[in-house]
Amino acid sequence: MKPYLKEHPWSIIEDSFDKNYHQISESIFSIGNGHMGQRANFEETYSGESLQGSYMAGVYYPDKTRVGWWKNGYPEYFAKVLNATNWIGLSFKIDGEELDLNKADVKSFYRELNMKEGYLTRKFTAELSAGKVVEVEATRFVSIVNKEIGAIEYKLTPVNFSATVQVCSYLDGDIKNEDANYDEKFWDPVHVSAEDERTSVTVKTKKLDFYYCAMQETHIYQGDERQTGSVLNNETEKYSDVTFELELNENTPMTVYKYAANVTNRDHDISELEKAAALSLDQAVQKGFTQLKTEQSQQWEKKWLDSDIVIEGDVSAQQGIRFNIFQLNQTYTGEDERLNIGPKGFTGEKYGGSTYWDTEAYCLPFYLATSEQRIPRNLLIYRYNHLEKAKENAAKLGFSKGALYPMVTMNGEESHNEWEITFEEIHRNGAIAYAIYNYVNYTGDKSYLGEYGIEVLTEISRFWEDRVHYVEHKGYVMIGVTGPNEYENNVHNNWYTNRIAAWTLEYTLNVLDYLKDSDPDLYKKWVAKLAIKEEETSKWADIIHRMYYPYDEQRGVFLQQDLFLDKELMPVAELDDRHLPINQNWSWDRILRSCFIKQADVLQGLYFLNNEFDMDTKKRNFDFYEPMTVHESSLSPCVHAILACELGYKEKAYEMYLRTARLDLDNYNNDTEDGCHITSMAGTWMSVVEGFGGMKIKNDQLILNPFIPGNWTSYSFKIVFRHARLRVQIDQKHIDVTNESDVAVDAVIHGEQFRIEGKSSVSLDH
Amino acid sequence: MKPYLKEHPWSIIEDSFDKNYHQISESIFSIGNGHMGQRANFEETYSGESLQGSYMAGVYYPDKTRVGWWKNGYPEYFAKVLNATNWIGLSFKIDGEELDLNKADVKSFYRELNMKEGYLTRKFTAELSAGKVVEVEATRFVSIVNKEIGAIEYKLTPVNFSATVQVCSYLDGDIKNEDANYDEKFWDPVHVSAEDERTSVTVKTKKLDFYYCAMQETHIYQGDERQTGSVLNNETEKYSDVTFELELNENTPMTVYKYAANVTNRDHDISELEKAAALSLDQAVQKGFTQLKTEQSQQWEKKWLDSDIVIEGDVSAQQGIRFNIFQLNQTYTGEDERLNIGPKGFTGEKYGGSTYWDTEAYCLPFYLATSEQRIPRNLLIYRYNHLEKAKENAAKLGFSKGALYPMVTMNGEESHNEWEITFEEIHRNGAIAYAIYNYVNYTGDKSYLGEYGIEVLTEISRFWEDRVHYVEHKGYVMIGVTGPNEYENNVHNNWYTNRIAAWTLEYTLNVLDYLKDSDPDLYKKWVAKLAIKEEETSKWADIIHRMYYPYDEQRGVFLQQDLFLDKELMPVAELDDRHLPINQNWSWDRILRSCFIKQADVLQGLYFLNNEFDMDTKKRNFDFYEPMTVHESSLSPCVHAILACELGYKEKAYEMYLRTARLDLDNYNNDTEDGCHITSMAGTWMSVVEGFGGMKIKNDQLILNPFIPGNWTSYSFKIVFRHARLRVQIDQKHIDVTNESDVAVDAVIHGEQFRIEGKSSVSLDH
């Protein structure tokens, strides 16, 4: 594919208009602030193919489950992110003709997502009928300072004519989810108002009573002069607008400023909703567009200070990695423990916008290393708050105790309805336990264990205890599971799942010991509250001791599952290209019967529990599994990149890095129009920092083993570690680690121990 | 459950009206004639809960597939039996008040399905408003002599009043399938007509262009006098009626005769459809109700002559077995090779009315033993005609050759969309091959092999060849399958599937040898036409030789699948009753992980390939698997009953027999309102004839090893074997076999050889 987007270190740029690429660009140029997000739909009317999408974090709908064949245990509902009131809407009638890029002759077009400062801008020249040429320059952002505020500046110039223009600025709440199981609308009307320049729409969800009020104020300027003339208002059930009529003179621009407040009853009382919106809107209007934009830019500067990665000598890679970091920061800010990270963030509706194990397995490391401690901590608290639901879920499926976290969730309840995943892909429970370890290991914040962690760990351990059983000829087995490799279903003894289960039991026992030693009262409190019995912990010890792990003696590799060797083993490389990707070219059963692996499975275990395995073991397993891996999950290459780095497979590492770095920018999987792959973006970050940078934390110590791909001049990344901020810079000769904070840090770099004092650097050669 | 239906040797009887039981009775009292069927809906208006159902054999609709999550290889459509024009409709307005048993006070109610003569009758007394009492006696049938004709006699008496009555006789083609994936109607209007007593409705399906014309003629009599007075006609797009207005005198009956012709373009040209309906209707009207009913009765007598089973001393068992035989004969008559046997016959819509492996595995033996040879032969031809589609199906799933018959089909294309069944339950292919063997073995008609059989066998063998692969440590394996036990999915080396696959290869090679010997020219023709190569047949021989069969040395049992012994083994008897049936009480994954077996799996193989195994092997396997079998498929108990009989487990055999014999009559599975379990009814017949009667055919010889359950006085069954008709009668002391035909038959009864001459008997003691 010819690169459609222009390379630039700080911006995503499109310099022509291609209707066929429109929905992909709508995804890629999305803006968000953790509270809400907006696809890059045009403000003005666009009659071509488009997925109009405005999403509010945490506002969802329990859409009735759709299945072919019902299986006992399926949830009744699939919680879906809601496409909500369109607050960006403007329409322009120029001498009665609608400005619509699907109909006009687009003479020039330029769109830029300015990632450094956090805004979207667009310029175009379009020729309407009778040769009328208009020029437009539009800028918008959703504020990361005033979370409820979106602001638009829209400047229109009639280049070669004078005309009467009707500008309609509207809020449209009559929105349908593209991803609706039964083609239903999810919003009911509540209240609309429209009085001169200010209008509002309040809607509520048909179930669960989420209320959402959008309120807008629109100002129009000609030159410096605010126009307050002829104004018309319209309202229907879920819609309100204001229409201005103006006379525009040739080559004299008009500028529309549109401010919208988007508030929900997640943050305000229902009775106060309009008041809250009005207040928020007043503040925004008072600041005005310029100040809002300046504050936006300043706040983004701070974000980049903690999380930027600089790559010199490869602008395409630079753009890719910054795009990933930018989207992650747009999606989740960690300020609201009720929120999480949907696979598409605010860029689309697919996968329901819900929480997957992606968060714990792939996203947590990014937030651990680039944010204040409270931010990843909130990701943990999110699951803590869902513990009761996870216990209900286990009980519903017939377990006598413990908690099974859902595969997909918005509110703690299971949403997914595919038996081989919903019921069997239970390794997710292990990732949720591992995230606690990962957080404590990275931050050193052991207080979390006694405050929340132990409860989650205990209930997950209890689930594993109930889920395994003992058979004489093998030991403790776990049958009927799906591992991270979803191209095998309903297998026995998936090595990764067995291992992460036993690991959970080990860690839980360790944490109990730690609490007993460090805070006996707290320990007693938990033992009493959770009714932890000695026969329970000794059963866990027995399971740890006698867990069965399928293993191939001959090859010295862990077997992905008991019967993996019954398959015809062959490397992906031997497959004719026309078969790839297999998920588009093969029937499902052919995929299942094949040896081909969708994403890291055994290797996921080697990544998580890295310290437990020697290099030879890692190498044997990597050498065995990697050639059979098709990486048809966007979450696969990062783990392979990190292990390849560790094993010194530099070319393989770089190849794996390239597979995710520009996944959406290059529309590699041909599905970016559905939205961007937000969670896998964290994997790209991991590939650089944990892969190329070789960053690990072991025994409270920072470890770095950096290398640099041959075609890069240099790269650097930022990490926040134990209250210090480090900048790690690697070029082809040197490694420089600069401590930008005042807190000294110890680090082991390429096996050598360093103390890096505040505001100082260390440097070494490769 | 208190028995709701009355016991009677020849009839199903209901003597009170219970609205809660209404839909169950609508299923049970269904009538059919192979060409069409009709649920036991009331003719007059009924405003209560009801599944109005009129079905035409072979008329179906490709309803768009509904899934939760699409898997590559799923079919786009699910072919569904069509609920079609309601031709039984009558409505009665008595002084303006609708006769409706949901609203009237039902004083007495009696309904009888007369299985001996093949009609449904109903009598009731109902009190309308103001104490008006009406008596009704209604009889109807669908003719097995004039297949397109349904006839109704409806006698209404105003017991204690005189009144004006409006009788409306209608055809309603505006029908919706209850079982529609997207709540759509499947019929489009074509033409309606209504002229005095004769009206018609022609509709066509929205896809596939099935045309269906229903034409009715209605006569009304008061005493012997035909009423031809005031008549009104109505028609809308898909509806037509005639309304008569009469004055009824107290205690003076009126009788409505309604004749309906139901014709489709499966049997007539579209342009001739109305003409064909008129012709058929003319004939029926000319015969009149009484003659039609007499002919019906005579024809049913003939059917019973070939297929009756008499049980003395247990009227409940007698009623049960006759109900099963009656429903089988109502569903499939074998006269149209395009037709087959849907799991619900004409009694409901569930499972799409399509063809499953039920036909070959369970229904074929009934038709083999109770019909002329051409009738089971047509069941084979049905699959022969679908061979090209089965080859396309295999290709679509990525196989390089061979045919995979669909799991569910109407026209040869796969309809099912559940990966673990659609793609994996491939043992169905073996049953289709086995049916050819079974037919030839029973009838001795080897000509079928050279005419059709070899082609089907070759393509199925090719599929098996492509589906297995060789691994060093095991031999030829078959991974990723679901066996007959659908409570295990995606297993490796299901013993039954491996065995029936190897058996198919063996049988195909045998048939090729037979053709080579018996008709070298024909053999050469097939070898050329099918391009059978030596390397192919020698590969088959190699697979037969080195097929892997999981086996437990310690117990001496075939393993249902490779990892069956990883499960926690326990007998169903140890399960608390509240868990049963597990398919209603357990989550799907709990079921999958359990050892519990839905239906015969290893034992299905021991039943099919009975002669291959010694009694000890059968006993060990039966003793191992039967206690873990929950029989939650209605097709399970029959196989167990037959094997239990062979093993001398008489009590177990009788227990198994009871589980199917009255499945619908006693609504054992609590789902009879959806329709009756037609295909499992053949299993009940098998339990008696192959189980209790111990009937087998081996080397062209009839073998009988009868025993009689202790609580039966005697029982007898009829079998047609090689042009002879035998009546086998067993009482507690004797076995009598009477040859009712003129053709002599050899038989081995309890190991003793007999020649039974025409029109003679043999008798022996137990």
Side-chain angles (χ1 to χ4, degrees), chain B residues 31-63:
Chain B
I31 52 176
N33 65 1
H35 172 78
M36 61 183 174
Q38 174 63 47
R39 279 171 61 86
N41 313 116
F42 296 162
E43 288 88 358
E44 78 279 358
T45 300
Y46 181 70
S47 61
E49 287 287 314
S50 163
L51 168 55
Q52 183 77 36
S54 304
Y55 308 102
M56 300 292 291
V59 176
Y60 60 91
Y61 191 79
D63 197 13

Side-chain angles (χ1 to χ4, degrees), chain B residues 441-486:
Chain B
N441 185 51
Y442 193 94
T443 62
D445 173 22
K446 292 194 173 183
S447 73
Y448 185 80
L449 297 170
E451 261 183 280
Y452 303 101
I454 189 58
E455 192 166 353
V456 171
L457 289 170
T458 300
E459 297 299 350
I460 292 179
S461 289
R462 285 172 167 164
F463 171 79
W464 292 130
E465 179 195 333
D466 207 26
R467 187 60 168 77
V468 300
H469 68 274
Y470 185 78
V471 292
E472 207 55 57
H473 55 294
K474 286 184 173 169
Y476 285 98
V477 295
M478 195 157 10
I479 67 176
V481 301
T482 295
N485 171 23
E486 291 173 333

Side-chain angles (χ1 to χ4, degrees), chain A residues 264-265 267-274:
Chain A
T264 76
N265 64 328
D267 304 308
H268 305 278
D269 283 352
I270 291 170
S271 59
E272 304 280 307
L273 217 52
E274 291 191 38

Side-chain angles (χ1 to χ4, degrees), chain A residues 66-74 78 181-182 351 356 396-399 415-421 423-424 466-471 473-474 477 479-480 488-493 548 561-568 582-594, chain B residues 66-74 78 181-182 351 356 396-399 415-421 423-424 466-471 473-474 477 479-480 488-493 548 561-568 582-594:
Chain A
R66 189 182 63 196
V67 294
W69 302 87
W70 189 264
K71 305 282 190 192
N72 283 350
Y74 278 166
F78 195 115
N181 285 345
Y182 295 91
Y351 306 114
Y356 290 65
K396 178 184 169 192
L397 298 183
F399 293 95
S415 266
H416 200 69
N417 56 322
E418 224 174 350
W419 65 266
E420 62 275 21
I421 292 179
F423 304 145
E424 295 205 335
D466 206 26
R467 187 61 170 75
V468 300
H469 69 274
Y470 185 78
V471 291
H473 54 296
K474 288 185 172 168
V477 295
I479 68 176
E488 292 200 310
N489 293 157
N490 197 38
V491 300
H492 286 208
N493 296 308
Y548 165 75
Q561 46 104 352
D562 262 336
L563 298 178
F564 191 76
L565 294 181
D566 275 7
K567 295 189 159 190
E568 288 188 279
I582 58 173
N583 68 12
Q584 284 173 27
N585 294 295
W586 283 9
S587 69
W588 181 240
D589 79 310
R590 190 173 182 187
I591 292 173
L592 285 181
R593 281 184 283 119
S594 81
Chain B
R66 188 183 63 197
V67 294
W69 301 87
W70 189 265
K71 305 283 190 189
N72 283 350
Y74 278 166
F78 194 115
N181 285 344
Y182 294 92
Y351 305 116
Y356 290 65
K396 177 183 169 191
L397 298 184
F399 293 96
S415 268
H416 200 69
N417 57 323
E418 223 174 351
W419 66 266
E420 63 274 22
I421 292 179
F423 305 144
E424 297 206 333
D466 207 26
R467 187 60 168 77
V468 300
H469 68 274
Y470 185 78
V471 292
H473 55 294
K474 286 184 173 169
V477 295
I479 67 176
E488 292 200 311
N489 293 157
N490 196 39
V491 300
H492 287 208
N493 296 306
Y548 165 74
Q561 45 104 350
D562 262 336
L563 297 178
F564 191 75
L565 294 181
D566 275 6
K567 296 188 159 193
E568 288 189 279
I582 58 173
N583 68 12
Q584 283 173 27
N585 294 293
W586 282 9
S587 70
W588 181 241
D589 79 309
R590 190 173 181 186
I591 291 173
L592 286 181
R593 281 184 283 120
S594 82

Side-chain angles (χ1 to χ4, degrees), chain A residues 657-675:
Chain A
Y657 166 78
L658 286 183
R659 286 189 78 133
T660 46
R662 293 180 57 91
L663 183 67
D664 290 310
L665 292 182
D666 295 339
N667 192 19
Y668 191 91
N669 281 6
N670 204 20
D671 62 356
T672 300
E673 73 263 34
D674 297 332

Side-chain angles (χ1 to χ4, degrees), chain A residues 8 33 73 115 168 173 234 370 376 396 416 508 517 597 648 665 674 693:
Chain A
H8 185 285
N33 65 2
M115 302 188 288
C168 173
N234 262 305
T370 64
K396 178 184 169 192
H416 200 69
T508 306
D517 291 348
I597 299 169
L665 292 182
D674 297 332

